[in-house]
Amino acid sequence: MSIEVPLDELADEVDRWAFCYLLTVSEGERPHLLALQPEVVGAGDSLRLRFDAGGGRACRNAAERPNVTLVFPPVEHSKGMSLVVDGTATVDGAIVDVAPTWAVLHRAAP
């Protein structure tokens, strides 16, 4: 079973996870992922998850196709669940800001 995470609780939830994968889509429609540690910026409707993505492929992909997903893999406290966040990315040089649009604790693997 999956559990939706209200966006107004996302900042507290993200602080409990070690890192995530930023998933973007290349121009050839192939997925690309990059392991990163987010910084929570702002609050409420202005909440952003900020990453220094290094200015490479993830930045190019997010600039051209801003719908991205963040996957926080299971950690000790999560009972096997992953945190999945969909959002809209903006890119400034090597920095990617993701404005969350939806978040869920995804069920553990069987």
Side-chain angles (χ1 to χ4, degrees):
M1 180 169 116
S2 295
I3 303 167
E4 188 169 349
V5 176
L7 294 180
D8 61 352
E9 297 174 15
L10 187 58
D12 291 334
E13 191 64 42
V14 166
D15 284 342
R16 301 176 64 213
W17 301 76
F19 74 98
C20 71
Y21 295 100
L22 169 65
L23 284 84
T24 61
V25 178
S26 71
E27 67 184 51
E29 298 184 5
R30 295 190 54 107
H32 176 265
L33 62 98
L34 181 62
L36 297 165
Q37 192 165 18
E39 173 188 359
V40 176
V41 178
D45 291 340
S46 66
L47 176 74
R48 301 291 182 266
L49 301 178
R50 180 168 288 164
F51 305 91
D52 183 343
R57 184 179 303 169
C59 291
R60 290 190 302 274
N61 288 348
E64 301 219 0
R65 286 162 298 282
N67 292 327
V68 300
T69 297
L70 309 172
V71 178
F72 295 78
V75 290
E76 188 174 323
H77 79 270
S78 71
K79 299 180 183 170
M81 297 182 93
S82 299
L83 174 61
V84 180
V85 179
D86 288 335
T88 305
T90 56
V91 180
D92 183 8
I95 304 301
V96 177
D97 278 348
V98 176
T101 57
W102 180 78
V104 66
L105 290 170
H106 194 274
R107 66 179 174 83

